[in-house]
Amino acid sequence: MADRGRIGSMPAATERDDESYLDFVQGLRSYTIGPLTHAAERRATDAMARFEAATGRPAGSMEEVRRVIDRVPIIAALNRLMRTSQEMMWQGVIATYRKRQDALIAELDRADRSGPGAVWWDPHFQLPAYFTAQEYHIQPGSYHNDPLAGYIYHYGTKVFFTGRNDHDEMHQAMVDSLPLPADGIVRRILDIACSVGQATTALKNVFPRRRYGGSRRRRRWCATPTSALSISGSRSIASRRSPKRPAFLTMRSISPTAFSSSTRCRSRSVSRSPASCAACCGPAASSPFTTSRTGS
């Protein structure tokens, strides 16, 4: 399959038919969360007003509210379309990327080899039951059980946000609005639940030489300031995750110069294990970060 370029930092749909289908789903979601939702709100408000007029009291619980408004036909239509449009979104994104899965995995492999850092994980780590018991955002395979999960999730955000985040501009706007510390100096940034790194990349744009880290489990890792990250909207690679790797250690957004989840020795000459970092740099090298976000 031919590479059709990128939409912002995500690979475009493999074929035009796929893109057309996903554009339709995006339009369906726009209608569902826009005009249909507004109409449903009005009908629900009317239904609750009739309930209060008939009973002489407001609804006493959320369950009672639901019993009232669930009888309104447009509410059932809204609930059905909210669910179905999201299922259609995942179906379309998975289908289009599956057509060139080998090429996308090869892209991730190249990024893994390109450095400048590396990522370590606990080979004995077991994903907690709450994580594997359900598919988050009803994404098939969730975050941990599909080698293309990062690509899939990223394109899903395009459809979910109805085209308002094609270039991750919502994440950039969120980062731009962050308040600074009292002294105006940002020294370290911990991005908890960083997903595919959309906000992390935005943070790196705004604070290019700061120390970055993701959520951690069980271990401490080195994190070191890095040089400014070269971000290109046309060449950002989503994360690769497998069932054998902790998903929160492998969620990463990689630029042409390999923006990656990395643990880097302070000497900046080699990538080291956490134990080697502690031996080389001393106890101060230990950090509450899982990884450092680095780029050349």
Side-chain angles (χ1 to χ4, degrees):
M1 294 290 180
D3 184 345
R4 298 186 57 244
R6 296 179 115 77
I7 300 173
S9 58
M10 72 192 78
T14 303
E15 297 180 348
R16 292 187 184 276
D17 283 350
D18 303 336
E19 188 171 311
S20 178
Y21 174 83
L22 289 167
D23 281 348
F24 167 78
V25 177
Q26 183 172 308
L28 177 61
R29 177 164 170 78
S30 294
Y31 169 74
T32 302
I33 65 176
L36 186 60
T37 294
H38 297 325
E41 288 174 350
R42 292 193 296 271
R43 300 297 190 279
T45 300
D46 292 343
M48 293 310 303
R50 290 194 297 271
F51 172 83
E52 291 186 23
T55 62
R57 63 174 180 84
S61 66
M62 183 58 67
E63 289 74 19
E64 194 167 36
V65 171
R66 293 188 65 174
R67 284 195 297 270
V68 174
I69 68 174
D70 280 352
R71 292 196 293 266
V72 180
I74 196 173
I75 298 298
L78 174 64
N79 291 340
R80 180 69 273 170
L81 283 177
M82 289 287 282
R83 173 86 182 197
T84 297
S85 63
Q86 192 149 328
E87 291 172 338
M88 293 171 67
M89 174 187 78
W90 295 129
Q91 175 186 341
V93 176
I94 290 171
T96 194
Y97 281 159
R98 201 69 78 202
K99 293 175 182 178
R100 52 193 172 105
Q101 175 167 316
D102 290 345
L104 294 174
I105 289 178
E107 184 176 56
L108 294 171
D109 287 338
R110 288 193 298 273
D112 282 345
R113 294 191 299 268
S114 66
V119 61
W120 292 271
W121 62 90
D122 183 350
H124 305 295
F125 177 81
Q126 296 294 320
L127 290 169
Y130 72 80
F131 192 86
T132 59
Q134 60 185 327
E135 292 180 329
Y136 284 82
H137 305 299
I138 60 174
Q139 178 179 341
S142 197
Y143 296 151
H144 65 285
N145 209 22
D146 190 312
L148 300 183
Y151 286 113
I152 293 165
Y153 178 85
H154 198 183
Y155 202 112
T157 65
K158 164 184 166 46
V159 178
F160 186 85
F161 292 119
T162 62
R164 293 172 292 143
N165 200 43
D166 288 9
H167 299 266
D168 301 332
E169 50 266 69
M170 292 175 65
H171 294 82
Q172 188 66 57
M174 177 183 66
V175 169
D176 290 342
S177 68
L178 289 175
L180 293 175
D183 61 4
I185 300 174
V186 176
R187 296 174 177 83
R188 296 191 299 179
I189 297 173
L190 175 60
D191 188 355
I192 299 175
C194 56
S195 186
V196 295
Q198 291 160 292
T200 313
T201 303
L203 285 164
K204 194 68 173 178
N205 285 336
V206 176
F207 308 106
R209 298 185 61 84
R210 294 300 165 258
R211 181 183 294 182
Y212 288 82
S215 307
R216 73 173 179 87
R217 289 271 186 172
R218 299 184 182 178
R219 291 187 178 183
R220 291 178 179 269
W221 305 76
C222 281
T224 184
T226 61
S227 59
L229 173 65
S230 173
I231 296 291
S232 169
S234 63
R235 284 288 300 169
S236 184
I237 305 171
S239 68
R240 172 164 58 161
R241 307 164 208 163
S242 81
K244 297 182 180 179
R245 300 184 182 186
F248 45 77
L249 293 189
T250 55
M251 294 179 184
R252 57 194 185 275
S253 180
I254 306 171
S255 79
T257 51
F259 176 71
S260 64
S261 298
S262 310
T263 299
R264 189 72 169 169
C265 177
R266 288 182 178 178
S267 69
R268 302 195 64 181
S269 58
V270 293
S271 296
R272 297 181 181 270
S273 69
S276 298
C277 283
C280 172
C281 303
S286 295
S287 165
F289 301 136
T290 297
T291 60
S292 63
R293 304 279 178 176
T294 68
S296 62

